[in-house]
Amino acid sequence: MPELPEVETVRAGLAAHVVGRTVAGAEVRHPRAVRHHVGGGADLAARLAGRTITAAVRRGKYLWLDLDGAGDALLAHLGMSGQLLVTRPDGAAPAEAVGPVPTMVRPVSAGDAHLRVRVDFTDGARLSFVDQRTFGHVLLTDLVPTPDGGPGGHGSAVPALPAPVAHIARDLLDPALDRAAASRRLRTRRTEVKRALLDQTLVSGVGNIYADEALWRAALHPRRPTDRLRPATVRELFDAAEAVMRDALAAGGTSFDALYVDVEGASGYFARSLDAYGRAGLPCRRCGALMVREHFMNRSSTLCPRCQRPPRGSAP
DNA sequence: AAAGGGACCTGGCTGC
DNA sequence: TGCAGCCAGGTCCCTT
C-alpha cells in the first residue's frame, strides 16, 4: 500500500523523469479518477495541455506536479492501488534498467484495464495513472499559502500547497515539522494512539503498515490512550515512525526501477524487513512471543502481546 | 466540537 | 470445480 515511503519513491521518480516536460495532451478514461476535479475529465485534460511541469512535490501521501510555477498544480493521491508510471518517448522497454525488475512492473498499453488518466508530453514520453481499486484520484487545483509560511512539501521551496492538501499536517520526514507541537496536540486528544498516528491532520504519511511497525518498535499497544502518554513516549513513537519510514525508503530505493515509477518498488522491503505487519502467528523478532492480530477501526492491527502491553482496563 | 464508524472499490483468496 | 462472501485500507462524510 502506498504510504509515505512509497509515495516519496514515486515523487523522486517524477522529479527525475517528468519535471521539465511539457504536456501535449491528456485523456481521462474513468470519471471516478477525477471525481474531485471541479469541471470533470474534459476540463482537466483541456487545462493541462501546454503546461510545463516545474517540480514534483509531496506532503504525507499526497503528491503534486507544479505547472509553470504559475500557482497551480496537478495533484494526485494514490489511494490503495494507484500507480504513476512513466514510459519514455520511444515507448520501448527501458534500455538502461538494471537489476531485477519488480514483478508488478509492466509496460502500460492503451488497452490497460486500469488505466485511468494518460498524460502525453511533447517529446513522446507518457505519464499514466493506473489504479485498480479507484480509491486514488487526480485533479488540477490552485496553490494556497502555507499557514506557517514554510515550504509546501518535500521537493519544493515554495510556501504554498494545493488547496485540498491545506489540512494535511507536515510529515515526519519534513524538517519543518514542529514535533513538540504535534506531540502536544496528540496528547490533548482523547483517543487511542494508533488512531492518532493515522490522523493525517496530526502528523501525515503514516498508514496502517507503518503505524503497526512504529508501535512495535516503540513497544506501545495501539489502544493506549493518547492523553496518558508522556512526552518522552510520544517522542520515541515519532522517532520510531520516522526511522521505519526512512528504512523503507532506503530499501524501496534499491529495487526502484529508473524509468518505471512504481509504488511496488518497495516490495523488497516488504519481503524482508517488516517486524509487525502481516506477521500474525509468527514469533516476535524481539521476544519470541507469537504475534497476534486484533480488530481495529474496521481493519486489523498486528502486535506482540508481550512487548506491547494493553492499557489497563482494556479487554484482552 | 471532537470522536468514531461506514461507504467507497475490486481482485484475490477462503471455505463450503 | 464453482461460487459466494470475505478481506485489504486511505480518505471523505455522516452521525453521535
Side-chain angles (χ1 to χ4, degrees):
Chain A
M1 311 305 153
E3 300 180 28
L4 187 151
E6 293 74 35
V7 180
E8 173 57 22
T9 300
V10 172
R11 187 206 65 80
L14 295 173
H17 300 295
V18 166
V19 168
R21 289 196 154 112
T22 298
V23 177
E27 184 192 8
V28 175
R29 300 172 63 96
H30 196 301
R32 187 172 156 76
V34 295
R35 62 194 177 281
H36 295 299
H37 179 79
V38 180
D43 177 76
L44 186 143
R47 288 172 55 188
L48 264 182
R51 308 299 302 275
T52 297
I53 313 296
T54 51
V57 192
R58 178 192 58 75
R59 176 181 280 207
K61 303 170 197 171
Y62 283 88
L63 64 88
W64 61 94
L65 301 172
D66 280 341
L67 301 172
D68 304 304
D72 59 348
L74 179 66
L75 174 66
H77 194 290
L78 301 177
M80 289 185 54
S81 55
Q83 300 170 285
L84 285 166
L85 306 173
V86 181
T87 48
R88 32 184 254 168
D90 59 13
E96 61 263 51
V98 292
V101 175
T103 54
M104 290 296 290
V105 174
R106 72 237 185 277
V108 177
S109 68
D112 190 301
H114 305 303
L115 175 61
R116 308 306 184 193
V117 180
R118 183 174 55 76
V119 179
D120 291 311
F121 296 102
T122 52
D123 65 350
R126 172 175 291 180
L127 174 65
S128 300
F129 178 60
V130 175
D131 188 10
Q132 176 195 105
R133 297 185 204 178
T134 68
F135 273 37
H137 61 98
V138 300
L139 73 159
L140 211 120
T141 180
D142 287 337
L143 302 180
V144 299
T146 52
D148 58 10
H154 197 102
S156 174
V158 178
L161 290 168
V165 184
H167 70 291
I168 300 294
R170 294 187 182 277
D171 57 65
L172 289 162
L173 269 49
D174 187 336
L177 171 69
D178 185 342
R179 290 185 180 226
S183 172
R184 281 194 298 275
R185 288 189 62 208
L186 183 143
R187 286 180 292 108
T188 55
R189 292 287 175 90
R190 297 186 60 83
T191 188
E192 298 163 341
V193 64
K194 182 171 175 181
R195 184 177 273 275
L197 206 48
L198 293 172
D199 183 342
Q200 306 296 301
T201 69
L202 223 38
V203 156
S204 69
V206 180
N208 201 47
I209 295 171
Y210 296 113
D212 279 6
E213 295 301 310
L215 290 164
W216 182 86
R217 287 191 183 201
L220 284 174
H221 193 281
R223 292 192 181 278
R224 288 277 293 274
T226 48
D227 59 349
R228 305 243 285 270
L229 296 175
R230 293 175 305 150
T233 304
V234 177
R235 198 177 313 130
E236 288 168 17
L237 177 62
F238 283 171
D239 287 348
E242 179 190 354
V244 70
M245 290 193 291
R246 286 198 189 280
D247 289 350
L249 186 54
T254 60
S255 64
F256 171 57
D257 182 285
L259 284 181
Y260 290 95
V261 181
D262 197 308
V263 298
E264 301 295 330
S267 55
Y269 170 78
F270 285 107
R272 288 193 311 276
S273 303
L274 290 180
D275 291 315
Y277 183 86
R279 298 198 73 246
L282 298 173
C284 170
R285 292 202 168 114
R286 188 163 42 211
C287 79
L290 292 188
M291 305 283 288
V292 298
R293 197 165 79 151
E294 295 185 357
H295 281 287
F296 186 88
M297 289 170 67
N298 255 354
R299 22 186 73 72
S300 64
S301 294
T302 305
L303 59 99
C304 171
R306 187 184 293 166
C307 297
Q308 298 168 265
R309 293 293 186 180
R312 278 176 309 174
S314 78

